[in-house]
C-alpha cells in the first residue's frame, strides 16, 4: 500500500495543527487518489513527528511512503531537516520505500490556486470588524 | 484597475522572498487572470511591507486591491495582523477599495494540489545525497 505523509511545520497553536490533520483527512477521501491512507506529521511543536509518522504509515501497511513537505518556501526545513529525518527513517525501515516529493510552494499549479483563492473575498474581513 | 497583492510572511532568507516575487510574476502572466498587476508584500523581514505594497498598487493605478494572505494556517498573522494593516491602509487610501481574500490554506482545492505535488518525487532527495 502507498501512504502519503503530509509533513507540516507544526505550530504552538493547536488550531493550526488541526487544519493540517483535517487536510490529511480530506485528501484521504479524494476518490482519484492512489493513496491507501494519508498521515499528517509535524517537524516541530506537534505530534506525530516524522519518526512517529513513518511508524504510523508502517502500522497501516505501507510498503511505499511518499513524504510531502507542506511548506511554501525551500528554507532550511525543506532543504535539510526533512531530508535528514527521512534518511534516518529509511535506515530504520529498510523494508519500506520512502520517497520525498516536491514541496507545496514548488507546485506549478500554485499561481492558478492563488488566483482562485483571491476570488473568495469578504468573509476574511469579519474577524477585524466584530 | 484591479490589482492583486500577494501577502507573504517574509523570511530572513532572501531566496524565500524571491520565491514569492517570482510567484507574483507568474500570476501576472496568467492569461485568464483579471488582475492588471500583481504586487508581492511581506509582513516581516522583507520589503515592500503591506503599507508600501498598497502604495505600489495605487501608483500602478489600482482602484481595487485584493489582498491575498499567502499563508497555510489561520494563525495570528492571518486573523489579526493582516486585517489590522489593511484597515490602516484603507484609512489612508479612502479612494481605493481594498478587499481581503481567503488565505491560501483555506482553499478547497488544496487537497487536490497536495496530491498533484506528491506525484513529483525523486529530485527532492538529491539535496541530501550530494
Amino acid at each position: 500500500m502507498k501512504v502519503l505523509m503530509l509533513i507540516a511545520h507544526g505550530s504552538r497553536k493547536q488550531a493550526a495543527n488541526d487544519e493540517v490533520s483535517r487536510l490529511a483527512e480530506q485528501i484521504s477521501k479524494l476518490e482519484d487518489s492512489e493513496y491507501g491512507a494519508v498521515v499528517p506529521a509535524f517537524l516541530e511543536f506537534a505530534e506525530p513527528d516524522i519518526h512517529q509518522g513513518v511508524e504510523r504509515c508502517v502500522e497501516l501497511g505501507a510498503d511505499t511512503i511518499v513524504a510531502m513537505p507542506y511548506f511554501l518556501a525551500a528554507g532550511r526545513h525543506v532543504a535539510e531537516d526533512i531530508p535528514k529525518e527521512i534518511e534516518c527513517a529509511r535506515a530504520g525501515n529498510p523494508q519500506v520505500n520512502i520517497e520525498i516529493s516536491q514541496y507545496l510552494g514548488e507546485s506549478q499549479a500554485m499561481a492558478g490556486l492563488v488566483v482562485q483563492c483571491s476570488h473568495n473575498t469578504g468573509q476574511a474581513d469579519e474577524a477585524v470588524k466584530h
Side-chain angles (χ1 to χ4, degrees), chain A:
Chain A
M1 185 172 78
K2 204 168 181 174
V3 176
L4 177 64
M5 185 167 70
L6 186 65
I7 306 175
H9 185 280
S11 168
R12 288 191 179 85
K13 285 185 111 174
Q14 190 52 40
N17 302 326
D18 290 345
E19 283 191 66
V20 176
S21 301
R22 273 200 304 275
L23 177 61
E25 210 179 305
Q26 266 179 44
I27 298 168
S28 71
K29 287 176 183 164
L30 289 179
E31 284 181 11
D32 55 349
S33 153
E34 73 275 36
Y35 299 108
V38 184
V39 169
F42 302 92
L43 207 55
E44 292 178 3
F45 307 125
E47 293 195 333
D49 62 20
I50 293 182
H51 176 77
Q52 293 165 330
V54 168
E55 275 190 352
R56 193 165 294 187
C57 294
V58 171
E59 281 165 16
L60 289 168
D63 49 40
T64 293
I65 300 171
V66 178
M68 195 274 183
Y70 189 60
F71 284 74
L72 291 176
R76 188 172 48 83
H77 293 318
V78 169
E80 297 169 29
D81 300 341
I82 292 175
K84 275 181 198 158
E85 294 271 351
I86 293 298
E87 272 302 296
C88 191
R90 280 182 186 132
N93 299 275
Q95 81 288 9
V96 186
N97 174 32
I98 311 181
E99 297 169 1
I100 304 178
S101 80
Q102 213 181 28
Y103 64 96
L104 184 73
E106 212 176 2
S107 169
Q108 289 305 309
M110 186 57 83
L113 187 71
V114 167
V115 169
Q116 202 181 84
C117 256
S118 75
H119 294 158
N120 291 306
T121 56
Q123 291 183 315
D125 277 318
E126 298 304 308
V128 80
K129 283 183 187 155
H130 298 295

